[in-house]
Amino acid sequence: MQRHFDRDIEEIKELLLRMGGMVEQQMGDSVRALLDRDTDLAQHVIERDRDIDQMELVIDQKTIELMAVMQPAASDLRFVATIMKINPELERIADLAQDVCERAIELNREPALKPISQLPLLADHAQRMVREALDSFVRGDVELARNVIRQDDVVDQLTEDSFRSLLTYMLENPRNIASAIRLTFIGKYFERMADNATNICEMVVYLVEGKMIKHTPLQ
Amino acid sequence: MSQTKITVRDFDFYYGSAKVLHGITLDVPENQVTALIGPSGCGKSTFVRSINRMNDIIPEAHGEGTILIDGKNVYGRETDVVSLRRRVGMVFQKSNPFPKSIFDNVAYGLRINGRKTKRDIEQIVEKSLTRAALWDEVKDRLNGSAFALSGGQQQRLCIARALAVDPEILLMDEPASALDPIATTKIEELIYELKSNYTIVIVTHNMQQAARVSDQTAFFMLGKLVEVSDTKTIFMNPKEKMTEDYVTGRFG
């Protein structure tokens, strides 16, 4: 039986996916702005963050309305809880993309540092994790979700590696310190985005299996 | 963990040749609320009425299998049905006060059940009305007609009447379905209060009510017990697809 509730759920799901698309775009653009030293693009990303904030509010509002009116149970309840948890994770990723752009603009005012290999790799990994986290949500694919969670260790390692390289630059020449610290921040931002993707995947497992796997090591 | 108060094993029930309950197996824990949910005609009321043998009065109806209360067979030869129904009180969907005063409604069971002094009866009436959260509203008009009370008050009066004979188990068959939301809330609060002293089995069509008041929920469908689990599991992550479809309103 098609329920009125199913249409509401579909609508919220669509909104969340549209927001997911916007967040992926912001992430991708922040990486390009950083690597291409493109201040205009960085500025554009910063401006677009408002749209995502707005989207978060709309989704929150609609989800709360749905709870009040429909009083969902079982998988419906888990769906609503999942949306309530995924929504701020996505918004947070967009905020971090904005942070990347703010640092990129500052970096562009200084001479370019010798590129370090780990940072683009790290950005690439974080982007893939976010994309796959959203895919796992759309398809209810817990296998993919668990795979994404496993990749978090790789990202942590890349963050650590990029920090070590940047530390070397700082030791080589104190004039590198300002830029190297900014790049260290950026590494941390991507690592946080990967954490957000992991949180999304944990909720996908909860949605499908009803199990809270947060704070428990994967088998 | 609570002790089991009512043990049901492979219980079947028939109206004539029609089998309406199929092999029900269920443990009802002591001092907890067990909610029975399921679509109309699924057998939950028949089941609850089997516990205190209310179905005995229906000709051609009979049960097979076992229902034990504190390990004693409800359908055993030695079971005295009157004393069984004193131990297992019942409240129905439609409040059914006697055409008597408020006081006499509550005192009725005491008077027919044994020789108690006037003073004892007065004390028990007050205690029962207090437990049913009605005392403050009626203490100044105990001799007034029970019919002058509102629907919600009448239902609480029926609960007080059931409590007066000091039962161990309370069966409630949709006790709040004819009441407005405020009266419903009072009944639900009352159920919550009462469970520390009584074992409660409640039939309800209102799933949110089952979710709010019960510790354990049993889902019936077509005379079978599909799933029984703690209430949180039934409403958050049921195991059976049929339960999931029912609690999310996907039936039809």
Side-chain angles (χ1 to χ4, degrees), chain B residues 192-205:
Chain B
Y192 192 82
E193 293 295 319
L194 290 174
K195 75 172 177 183
S196 49
N197 293 305
Y198 307 90
T199 300
I200 298 173
V201 181
I202 176 173
V203 172
T204 177
H205 268 129

Side-chain angles (χ1 to χ4, degrees), chain B residues 52-67:
Chain B
N52 66 346
R53 292 180 57 174
M54 286 292 284
N55 290 325
D56 284 14
I57 53 176
I58 302 168
E60 306 278 305
H62 76 284
E64 287 171 11
T66 314
I67 298 181

